[in-house]
Amino acid sequence: MDIEIRAEAVMEGKDYLALTRFMTGGKNKNSMMMNILLLLIAVVGVYADFQVNGKMTFITIVAVIAVLGAFVLPEITARRFIKKDKSFIGHTMRYVFNDNGINVLDEQNGTTALHAWGNIMNMYETAGYFFMFLGKQSALLIPKRCLSAEDLADFREMLQFQLGSRYENRTQKSKKAK
């Protein structure tokens, strides 16, 4: 498949938030359903606690704090990172996609990394990003805004060819349902 695509994007706070949100709730298709179920159980537990005891008990308070932490903590942590850590935000990332894999260059940090296709565990496409997983908790993002319409189509074709079932286009969920 002798294609080479070059792209670059300046990383923004919204990119880091998107990655955090995807890792905590979007990677696993059932994550959102599990979080809603957890929240529902906590609400029912609080209601039952008030009905039986007339007040919240320690166990219910801990459960509510745990549920709120699962929803709120990743967002707070990501926003704090955006404000304090400049090792990602504002950096220009240059990408080269070809038969060898995905080469990522961060000139500000002076780093470059070639991610061979065989080392990419999964690639997920969402409305605004490609999330490339090198491990269960190791991910990079590629903003779609850095690709022209033609390059985007070529990149999808490359992903399907190189990754096969390890590439999942989550933007076509609604198209398949029709």
Side-chain angles (χ1 to χ4, degrees), residues 62-96:
V62 169
V64 169
I65 290 170
V67 168
L68 290 175
F71 282 98
V72 177
L73 192 58
E75 187 79 13
I76 290 170
T77 304
R79 289 182 183 277
R80 188 173 296 144
F81 174 85
I82 291 167
K83 287 180 183 176
K84 292 183 179 179
D85 191 337
K86 301 302 178 200
S87 64
F88 176 80
I89 311 303
H91 285 216
T92 300
M93 305 300 278
R94 289 188 169 78
Y95 305 95
V96 179

Side-chain angles (χ1 to χ4, degrees), residues 55-142:
K55 62 180 180 176
M56 280 188 11
T57 61
F58 177 73
I59 241 22
T60 305
I61 292 169
V62 169
V64 169
I65 290 170
V67 168
L68 290 175
F71 282 98
V72 177
L73 192 58
E75 187 79 13
I76 290 170
T77 304
R79 289 182 183 277
R80 188 173 296 144
F81 174 85
I82 291 167
K83 287 180 183 176
K84 292 183 179 179
D85 191 337
K86 301 302 178 200
S87 64
F88 176 80
I89 311 303
H91 285 216
T92 300
M93 305 300 278
R94 289 188 169 78
Y95 305 95
V96 179
F97 314 106
N98 59 33
D99 289 340
N100 297 322
I102 298 175
N103 194 16
V104 183
L105 169 68
D106 178 350
E107 285 185 355
Q108 284 90 336
N109 278 337
T111 59
T112 185
L114 174 63
H115 304 287
W117 293 112
N119 293 336
I120 298 172
M121 185 180 218
N122 294 96
M123 177 79 79
Y124 300 96
E125 179 181 355
T126 64
Y129 298 93
F130 290 94
F131 295 103
M132 177 174 64
F133 282 81
L134 305 168
K136 290 184 183 256
Q137 293 297 317
S138 175
L140 296 172
L141 64 88
I142 302 162

Side-chain angles (χ1 to χ4, degrees), residues 27-77:
K27 182 179 174 193
N28 183 339
K29 291 179 182 178
N30 299 321
S31 292
M32 188 56 72
M33 186 171 55
M34 292 300 291
N35 286 342
I36 291 170
L37 182 62
L38 190 62
L39 184 61
L40 183 63
I41 290 169
V43 168
V44 169
V46 168
Y47 177 77
D49 218 5
F50 271 105
Q51 291 298 316
V52 172
N53 300 317
K55 62 180 180 176
M56 280 188 11
T57 61
F58 177 73
I59 241 22
T60 305
I61 292 169
V62 169
V64 169
I65 290 170
V67 168
L68 290 175
F71 282 98
V72 177
L73 192 58
E75 187 79 13
I76 290 170
T77 304

